Amino acid sequence: MRRETVGIDVGGVQVGGGAPIVVQSMSNTDTADAEATARQCRELAEAGSELVRITVNNDAAAAAVPEISRRLLDDGCEVPLIGDFHYNGHTLLGSHPECARLLAKYRINPGNVGAGDRRDDNFATICRIALDHGKPVRIGVNAGSLDQSLVMARMQENTDRDLGLTSEEILNRCMVESALRSTEAAHACGLGEDRVIISCKVSRPRDLLEVYRDLSGKTRQPLHLGLTEAGMGIKGLVWSASSMGILLSEGIGDTIRVSLTPRPDGDRRDEVYACMELLQALGLRSFAPSITACPGCGRTTSNTFQKLAERVEGYVRESMPGWRERYPGVEEMTVAVMGCVVNGPGESKAANIGISLPGTGEAPNCPIFIDGKLATTLRGNYEELADGLRRIVDDYVASRYGAGESVS
C-alpha cells in the first residue's frame, strides 16, 4: 500500500496525494547554452521524463531559463523545469524574476545555503520567492553537505549519553533531522504542506533504506527517491534497483530518479529508461511495451536473436513519443524474441507478439505468434526478419490500439 502523503502540483504534474509515481531526470548540459539544454530537456521528456531538472548555478544559467522555456514551448514540449540551486539560489532567484516565474519548482540543499544566521536568511529568501510565485520547493538533503554543526552536536550527544550509535547511524539520523527542521522552517515562511517535497540522498543502498524508512514515518510530505550517485552501467542499475525497488514495494516514494553516470558521450536518456523499467517491473506503472528475450545458451550459437531483440527494443523506444499520443494503451503490449525451440514457442505464445528463432541445427523457420496463436512464419536473413517483424508490430499496434484494422 502506498504511503499516504499530501498532493503537490509541480507545473501541472501531480506529485504525491495518491498520484502515480513520477519519473524525474536531470540535464547535464551547460544551462547557459539554451539551445543544447532545451534539446536535451526535450529528448528526456520524449523518452518519458515527467519532470526535468536543470542546473542554475550562475547568472548566465539563470538568464538562459526563459530562452530554454521558449524553445521547449515552440517545440510543443511542456515538461516542467526544476531549478537546481546550491550556494547562491537566493541571489539568482531574486536577480532573475523571469527565471523564478518560469521554473516549476526550486530545489534547495539546506547544507549549501550558508552558515548560521546567514543560512537561515538565505533559506527564508528562497522560500519567500517560492511563495510569491506560487512554486513548490524540494528540500534536498545530501549526505555530503550536511550541516556540520548538527553532525558534531549529535556525535557529542552519542558520546555523552553512551548511545552506542555508529557514525553511519548518526549521519543517517542527522539527514532526517535536517530535512524535518528545514521543512518546519519552510512552513514558517508560509509554504504550506502542498508546497514542500523532501529528499535525503545518500550513496549506499542500505543507508537509503534506513533513512527513508525513518523519514517516511515522520512526515506527510511527498518524498523524492534516489541515490546521490548510483554509478555507471551495471553497478548503477543494480545499486539503484536494490534499494529503490525495496522502498517502492513498501509504498515509499512519490517521485524518483536513477542517477546514472553516463559513459563519455553516452545517452542521458538511460536514466529515464531505468526509472520506467523499475516502476514497470514492480507493476506500479506502464510506460512502454515490454520486450523480453531469452538469455541464450549453447543451443543459440547465432547472435541473430540478440540483434533482433535489440533492434525491436530500439524501434519501440523511437516510436513511443508518437505512439503515446496516437495509441492509448500501447504501453501494455508485450513482445518476445526467443532464440530456440526449448522456450521459443511457449514464451512467444505468452506475449502479444512473439517470434521463435531457430537454434543451432533447427529448421530455418521463425514462427510468429500473435495473442497466443500461430499467425505466420518468417524466413530469410537478419534484415528480412527485422523488417518483417517491424511490419507485424506496426500492424498490431494500429489494429489493437488504433482504428481497429485487421492484423495482416
Side-chain angles (χ1 to χ4, degrees), residues 92 105 221 367 375:
L92 294 175
K105 184 179 70 175
Q221 303 303 139

Side-chain angles (χ1 to χ4, degrees), residues 291-372:
I291 314 299
T292 60
C294 68
C297 66
R299 299 180 182 86
T300 55
T301 53
S302 167
N303 65 0
T304 300
F305 83 96
Q306 297 157 300
K307 291 164 58 180
L308 191 60
E310 186 176 53
R311 181 118 159 214
V312 171
E313 183 173 74
Y315 178 68
V316 166
R317 281 183 175 174
E318 291 173 2
S319 301
M320 272 309 294
W323 284 358
R324 196 177 289 119
E325 299 297 325
R326 296 173 56 197
Y327 302 118
V330 69
E331 65 275 3
E332 303 287 346
M333 184 176 72
T334 57
V335 179
V337 180
M338 311 307 295
C340 77
V341 73
V342 173
N343 291 324
E347 297 293 340
S348 296
K349 289 178 181 178
N352 295 123
I353 302 171
I355 181 171
S356 178
L357 276 70
T360 304
E362 296 176 14
N365 301 318
C366 302
I368 298 287
F369 297 87
I370 296 179
D371 291 331

Side-chain angles (χ1 to χ4, degrees), residues 23-98:
V23 172
Q24 186 170 160
S25 62
M26 185 172 183
S27 67
N28 62 353
T29 56
D30 180 359
T31 307
D33 185 341
E35 180 181 2
T37 302
R39 181 171 60 249
Q40 188 178 74
C41 289
R42 184 178 66 252
E43 291 171 352
L44 292 168
E46 289 176 348
S49 184
E50 293 156 310
L51 300 174
V52 177
R53 184 155 46 109
I54 60 176
T55 298
V56 186
N57 58 330
N58 52 41
D59 284 304
V65 169
E67 177 67 10
I68 294 167
S69 179
R70 183 192 67 76
R71 285 174 176 269
L72 288 171
L73 290 175
D74 286 349
D75 288 339
C77 180
E78 298 182 358
V79 64
L81 295 178
I82 314 304
D84 188 68
F85 295 97
H86 295 269
Y87 309 110
N88 57 356
H90 59 290
T91 300
L92 294 175
L93 287 167
S95 301
H96 298 272
E98 272 299 278

Side-chain angles (χ1 to χ4, degrees), residues 198-218:
I198 301 175
S199 69
C200 287
K201 295 287 195 74
V202 295
S203 299
R204 297 191 302 181
R206 66 184 184 186
D207 290 328
L208 195 77
L209 293 173
E210 181 178 332
V211 167
Y212 273 85
R213 283 169 172 164
D214 185 16
L215 181 62
S216 66
K218 295 178 177 178

